Structures are given as C-alpha cells and as structure tokens.
Amino acid sequence: MKSDSSTSAAPLRGAGGPLRSSEPVRASPARAPAVDLLEEAADLLVVHLDFRAALQACDRACRALAEEPAGTSLEVKCSLCVVGIQALAEMDRWREVLCWVLQYYQVPEKLPPKVLELCILLYSKMQEPGAVLDVVSAWLQDPANHDLPEYGTLAELHLQRVLLPLGCLSEAEELVVSSAAFGEEQQLELLQAIYTTRQQQKQEHSGTKEAQKLKQEGTLSHKFQSLLLLVRQLWDSAVSHFFSLPFKKSLLAALILCLLVVRFDPASPSSLPFLYKLAQLFHWIQRAVSSRLYQLHVRD
C-alpha cells in the first residue's frame, strides 16, 4: 500500500492561512461583564439621564466583581462607585451615598481616594459634613493610606470642609501638627485658618451671651413695670375708696379700729405720741385726697 506523500507533506491550513508550530495560539481576552455594565451605566447616566437604571447597572456590576479575585478590577469598581454616587445625587438620594459605597468596600479604610473625595464634597455641599466625620478620620488614621499621593489633598479637604465647619478645632490642630503630608508653609496657613475660626466662634459666643443678657434685662424691666402698674392701680383704688366715704367717718372708723386692735387708753400720757402720729397720718391723707380731687377737677 502506497502512502500519500502529498497529503502528509501538505501544511495544515485554516481560515486565516497556514498555522506554524512555532507560533503560539493567541486568543483574544474575554471582556469582564463588569466592564460592559460600567459602559452601560455611564451611557444611561450621561446620555439617557436614566439615573435609576444607571444605579441598577452599577449594583449588578459590583456584585459581579465580588465573585472575581480581589484586586483584579479595582479601577473598574472605583469607576462604578463614581457613577453610582452621581446617580444617587441626581435622584436627590445623596444621604444614601455613604451606606451604598460602604456595602461594597466593607470598611472606610479601603475606600479609594477618589470615592472618598466625592463623598466629602457631596456632604459638605449639602451642609451635613458630620455624616463623613468618622469615615474620613478612620481613613486618614490608617497607616496603609499614609503613602498614597492623594493623602495630603484628602487631609486638607477634611480639615477645610469637615473639621472647621463642625468646630472641631482641637482635632484640626492635631491633624496639622501630626501629619507629615503638610509642608511648613502649608502648616502655617492651616493653623492661621484654625485661629481665625476660633476667633469667630468666640465673637459669636460673646454675641449670644450679650443677647441673652439683654433679653433677661428686658424681662426684668417688663416685670418691674408691671409691678409699678399694679401698685399704682392699688393706690388709685384706695384713693377712690376714700373718696366714696366722708373724711370724718373714715377718721372715726380708723380711730375705733386702733382702739380695738391696740387696746390702749387714750387718756394715758403714753398714748399721746401715738395719737399725735395718727393725727399727722390723717392730715397727710386729707391733703393727698384734696390734691387728687383738684387733679380730677382740672382734668374734667
């Protein structure tokens, strides 16, 4: 039996030409599903303005990345979080941003610098910097983050946008002095900013105390005026009562009342000073009544 030499000698040919044994087989790398979902989420966010669908695409992509080996798609995960933060902010659900991000990074220390920066800017803009205080502080205290090139920028952003607005001046000073991310000139500038904020707080505090003092003085003055008005009303009532009775009858009634209460003998020499003072009192009352009658007559 004769072998077919032409067949054995002929090279194997494929659709793209002859395949040599010395050439490695090159297979095009398969794209990760998370990358496709990232492009889809970005398209939904920017082009279609479908923020809910963009957020859902980010959630699906982050769950898909959780099944892959750690560290293989850090940039993709960070980009997904950026798109998700923007989608939540566009839907006015910015309060959910921090919880949404942390569910994919578990601990604050592992947040990417770009994601942490967006969180600081967002909550600061919405005037709720206290929401990120603990998260940023934990990130800055982690030694693994001290060598990152973004550390100094995030430390200054934390001081300017979080610590100073919240009045955490001692924490701000400690951050400036203990951090090696600030140069000498930058430290002086930040310390000056802290000093200025402290002076403003003192002025506001003194202004508040002065306002409270004025308010208390106003309250006391109002009470004193009310008391004077009450005394005047009582005096007018007493004078009006004297007007309604004849003067002699009033004098006699007062004398009898004194005799009954004090129980003294009018004929006794020791009673003369008291009677003299009583007579003076009634003379004074008579003059006051006459003056009051004259005023009422002139007014009429």
Side-chain angles (χ1 to χ4, degrees), residues 9-296:
L12 295 175
R13 295 178 179 271
L19 180 62
R20 297 182 175 87
S21 59
S22 60
E23 292 181 354
V25 179
R26 296 179 181 177
S28 59
R31 283 167 58 94
V35 177
D36 295 331
L37 287 172
L38 174 59
E39 293 181 356
E40 178 184 349
D43 186 66
L44 290 169
L45 176 71
V46 178
V47 179
H48 301 284
L49 302 181
D50 192 346
F51 309 122
R52 186 179 301 276
L55 182 63
Q56 292 174 353
C58 291
D59 283 325
R60 293 197 304 271
C62 288
R63 287 194 295 268
L65 286 175
E67 300 175 358
E68 297 184 4
T72 56
S73 304
L74 295 179
E75 291 295 331
V76 175
K77 188 176 182 180
C78 178
S79 300
L80 286 169
C81 287
V82 170
V83 175
I85 291 172
Q86 183 65 29
L88 286 169
E90 292 290 350
M91 291 187 292
D92 199 22
R93 293 169 54 186
W94 54 271
R95 290 183 177 87
E96 305 175 26
V97 164
L98 204 55
C99 293
W100 184 82
V101 168
L102 287 176
Q103 70 178 332
Y104 297 118
Y105 285 96
Q106 284 77 46
V107 292
E109 293 83 353
K110 301 301 181 183
L111 288 175
K114 184 62 177 179
V115 173
L116 188 62
E117 180 182 1
L118 286 178
C119 291
I120 296 174
L121 294 174
L122 176 62
Y123 283 92
S124 173
K125 181 180 180 181
M126 304 310 295
Q127 298 183 354
E128 287 195 12
V132 295
L133 176 61
D134 295 335
V135 172
V136 185
S137 298
W139 192 94
L140 292 174
Q141 292 172 6
D142 187 9
N145 297 324
H146 290 178
D147 295 332
L148 296 177
E150 300 90 350
Y151 184 86
T153 302
L154 286 175
E156 183 178 0
L157 192 65
H158 178 56
L159 188 145
Q160 297 283 3
R161 297 296 187 95
V162 179
L163 294 180
L164 293 186
L166 291 176
C168 303
L169 304 184
S170 299
E171 291 83 350
E173 289 179 343
E174 183 180 357
L175 177 62
V176 173
V177 174
S178 62
S179 177
F182 304 123
E184 183 177 353
E185 184 176 352
Q186 191 176 13
Q187 280 185 341
L188 292 176
E189 293 177 357
L190 295 176
L191 291 174
Q192 179 63 36
I194 295 172
Y195 175 78
T196 303
T197 304
R198 180 174 280 111
Q199 294 300 115
Q200 292 175 353
Q201 284 187 351
K202 289 181 179 179
Q203 292 177 359
E204 292 174 359
H205 182 67
S206 61
T208 303
K209 290 182 64 176
E210 186 68 23
Q212 291 177 351
K213 183 178 179 181
L214 292 175
K215 184 178 180 180
Q216 291 177 355
E217 290 178 354
T219 303
L220 293 175
S221 177
H222 179 69
K223 290 181 178 179
F224 183 70
Q225 290 178 358
S226 301
L227 180 61
L228 288 180
L229 180 61
L230 179 61
V231 171
R232 182 177 178 182
Q233 289 176 352
L234 292 175
W235 171 252
D236 290 341
S237 177
V239 172
S240 299
H241 180 68
F242 275 112
F243 289 161
S244 63
L245 296 175
F247 179 71
K248 291 182 179 180
K249 291 183 179 180
S250 300
L251 181 61
L252 180 60
L255 182 59
I256 294 172
L257 181 63
C258 289
L259 290 175
L260 293 175
V261 175
V262 182
R263 297 180 183 273
F264 69 94
D265 184 7
S268 175
S270 61
S271 302
L272 294 178
F274 178 79
L275 293 175
Y276 177 73
K277 291 181 179 180
L278 186 64
Q280 284 184 334
L281 176 63
F282 278 102
H283 281 301
W284 178 82
I285 294 175
Q286 185 179 17
R287 287 197 301 270
V289 170
S290 301
S291 175
R292 181 66 175 172
L293 287 173
Y294 177 77
Q295 292 178 358
L296 290 175

